[in-house]
Amino acid sequence: VVVGRITYADGGVYNGTLRNGQPNGLGTCTWADGNLYDGEWRNGAMHGFGTFLWAAGQRYDGEWRDGRRAGVGVKVYDDGS
């Protein structure tokens, strides 16, 4: 495991721990569209606990499994609900 940075062809950037050239462990990814995820990764996918912030203002704090929301979490919409 090494700490590093990946810059994707579409302009997205990942900063955090890597294993075999993929996000693995703790890290932050900012996509070109302004969405951001900060949390745990496994084999290049969001996996474990993390926070996803949509550029439009929504937020999800909770569990992820293989890149998808799973388990316990809370989603807050841009209007605060």
Side-chain angles (χ1 to χ4, degrees):
V1 178
V2 63
V3 175
R5 176 184 178 100
I6 300 172
T7 302
Y8 298 98
D10 68 358
V13 176
Y14 170 83
N15 288 293
T17 56
L18 303 166
R19 179 180 291 156
N20 298 324
Q22 298 187 87
N24 205 85
L26 294 176
T28 301
C29 187
T30 305
W31 283 266
D33 63 6
N35 293 342
L36 180 143
Y37 173 78
D38 181 50
E40 296 176 287
W41 296 79
R42 185 175 78 181
N43 300 325
M46 299 173 284
H47 192 93
F49 187 83
T51 298
F52 192 97
L53 302 170
W54 282 266
Q58 299 172 356
R59 172 189 186 116
Y60 173 80
D61 295 302
E63 295 179 74
W64 296 82
R65 200 166 289 123
D66 298 321
R68 300 176 142 209
R69 292 179 295 196
V72 177
V74 175
K75 185 168 184 184
V76 178
Y77 292 89
D78 54 342
D79 66 1
S81 63

